[in-house]
Amino acid sequence: MTSNNMMDMERRAFMKLTGSGLVAAGASGLTLSTAVQAKVPSPKPVEGSFFGQLAREGYAAADPAVLPGPVTHSEPRTHDIELIAELMTAEIMPGVTSRFMTFNGQIPAPMIRVRQGDRLNITVTNLPGNEDAHSMDFHASFGTGGGAAFTEVVPGQSKKLSFTALFPGAFIYHCGVSNLDEHISRGMFGMIVVEPEEGLPPVDREFYLGQHELYTRERFGVPGETGFDARSMVAESPNYVLFNGAAGSFTAGALGTMKANVGETVRVFFVSGGPNKISSFHPIGNIWKRCWPQGALANAPLEYVQTWPVCPGSCFVGDMELPIPQLVTLVDHSVSRVVHKGLVAQIEVLGDEDPAVFSAG
Ligand SMILES: [Cu+2]
């Protein structure tokens, strides 16, 4: 088989996965006729929970709409947080599985949300049935290795650390063992949001996405359990680049689109796990109306940004306005990762048309 044929095969597999394919979807090829008939209920923020909810059984993909709500307390609080390393077999796409490494059984790991000045008591547990040591590196904390030097746990072991969230921002946390590149690639990363004391501007709806690249022995879409491939990791040449550990994750043909209503402002909390690739994070068909590059929440946001490079080991917080019904297709604008490697997620915006904003034909 020629490499062209193989690329065609990947593209066909991917277009099947995403329904009518990225271009059609982004250009309103997916019908929104049902959109105007229903309104998406208001989100119910998760309070005090550091476990999310999976988008679908059999996947490790965290439901992007299940995340802790905005901080409401005005005095420092203490949070007890348990992060549990769990090896699990889950689907990347129908018929293709991987042995993922997770915290709390989801990718990305649970979003932790606190206020500047809060105290965090973290317990890191490595389940007895696991095979490898794990640890935790918090970019939100001072401390050697971000805490990784004190939290390395073998299977069956737990360790604790505490830190005060002294500075605001959206930060990654990730496994910090010596072969952390493999562990992050296999799913061990998440986000901690330290809200500034004055909080963040309110929005109507929030989503939580994490991007990472998965290095596998088998090419994209080859059925069966795909093994991890250290050689392609060292070459930084992944077969899969994924949002939340699934191919075509939040599209009609895969785990379903994210939903919002016309007139809402939505916020995307985005963590770039890497381990190696920068994400050129872009909303096709929309604009980052207001965003905090690299999750630097202590600074004034930028406005009307089309694409922002989010480094591995960093985060991004971006708000969008939704004036019309549409599909907003979130991508890394290194678009071969979208067409050939599975990286796409869509927000389906329901409501009434406004021809003054946009009309076709
Ligand atoms: Cu690990």
Side-chain angles (χ1 to χ4, degrees):
M1 189 181 279
T2 67
S3 64
N4 271 349
N5 281 342
M6 283 198 286
M7 281 185 9
D8 278 350
M9 211 173 75
E10 286 170 5
R11 194 162 49 238
R12 278 200 301 276
F14 181 63
M15 287 179 73
K16 194 173 158 198
L17 189 72
T18 56
S20 46
L22 173 73
V23 174
S28 79
L30 284 186
T31 175
L32 286 172
S33 58
T34 54
V36 290
Q37 296 165 15
K39 197 168 184 321
V40 187
S42 296
K44 291 189 178 62
V46 181
E47 280 183 37
S49 169
F50 296 101
F51 288 82
Q53 180 177 303
L54 296 183
R56 186 180 294 178
E57 200 178 335
Y59 284 78
D63 185 329
V66 178
L67 61 158
V71 164
T72 54
H73 54 283
S74 53
E75 296 295 326
R77 279 195 184 169
T78 298
H79 307 268
D80 296 318
I81 297 163
E82 189 161 22
L83 294 167
I84 301 167
E86 183 182 354
L87 186 64
M88 62 189 285
T89 300
E91 289 196 279
I92 305 170
M93 58 197 287
V96 185
T97 61
S98 173
R99 289 285 276 167
F100 286 110
M101 294 175 174
T102 69
F103 288 113
N104 297 16
Q106 64 174 79
I107 299 173
M111 190 174 114
I112 299 167
R113 192 166 190 172
V114 301
R115 179 174 179 267
Q116 185 180 3
D118 284 359
R119 185 80 174 162
L120 289 89
N121 298 326
I122 309 279
T123 305
V124 183
T125 296
N126 193 342
L127 290 181
N130 290 345
E131 295 163 3
D132 301 87
H134 301 289
S135 67
M136 194 62 79
D137 175 345
F138 282 100
H139 288 203
S141 121
F142 291 106
T144 302
F150 311 99
T151 49
E152 186 157 323
V153 280
V154 297
Q157 193 178 26
S158 288
K159 285 187 181 173
K160 294 177 187 293
L161 69 78
S162 297
F163 69 92
T164 303
L166 292 173
F167 42 86
F171 304 99
I172 192 173
Y173 67 88
H174 60 83
C175 183
V177 292
S178 56
N179 58 334
L180 75 172
D181 48 354
E182 175 180 346
H183 287 219
I184 293 169
S185 170
R186 293 176 68 178
M188 295 192 113
F189 67 101
M191 182 192 281
I192 171 171
V193 176
V194 181
E195 292 199 14
E197 289 181 353
E198 66 278 14
L200 292 170
V203 292
D204 300 297
R205 198 174 293 278
E206 298 178 324
F207 297 108
Y208 174 43
L209 291 173
Q211 176 176 331
H212 69 129
E213 64 264 13
L214 184 61
Y215 299 91
T216 61
R217 281 199 302 267
E218 291 76 17
R219 296 177 63 86
F220 182 92
V222 173
E225 181 170 313
T226 187
F228 189 79
D229 183 45
R231 195 154 42 171
S232 66
M233 180 176 69
V234 173
E236 301 184 15
S237 178
N239 286 322
Y240 293 90
V241 187
L242 305 169
F243 287 133
N244 293 21
S249 47
F250 304 111
T251 58
L255 304 180
T257 55
M258 298 173 275
K259 306 280 196 299
N261 298 309
V262 164
E264 292 181 338
T265 299
V266 296
R267 174 166 296 151
V268 179
F269 291 99
F270 177 70
V271 53
S272 176
N276 298 313
K277 302 292 185 187
I278 294 171
S279 176
S280 300
F281 197 42
H282 170 65
I284 297 177
N286 208 291
I287 189 87
W288 298 116
K289 154 77 170 73
R290 176 172 59 191
C291 67
W292 291 266
Q294 310 308 341
L297 298 176
N299 302 277
L302 296 184
E303 291 192 304
Y304 299 109
V305 172
Q306 57 191 308
T307 303
W308 194 270
V310 189
C311 304
S314 191
C315 297
F316 173 90
V317 180
D319 296 353
M320 282 182 283
E321 292 177 326
L322 306 173
I324 54 167
Q326 65 167 137
L327 284 167
V328 178
T329 301
L330 296 169
V331 296
D332 171 347
H333 220 295
S334 294
V335 284
S336 293
R337 299 170 190 171
V338 180
V339 178
H340 299 286
K341 300 187 176 185
L343 188 71
V344 64
Q346 293 179 312
I347 300 173
E348 190 175 351
V349 186
L350 313 182
D352 296 327
E353 301 279 355
D354 183 352
V357 176
F358 181 86
S359 62

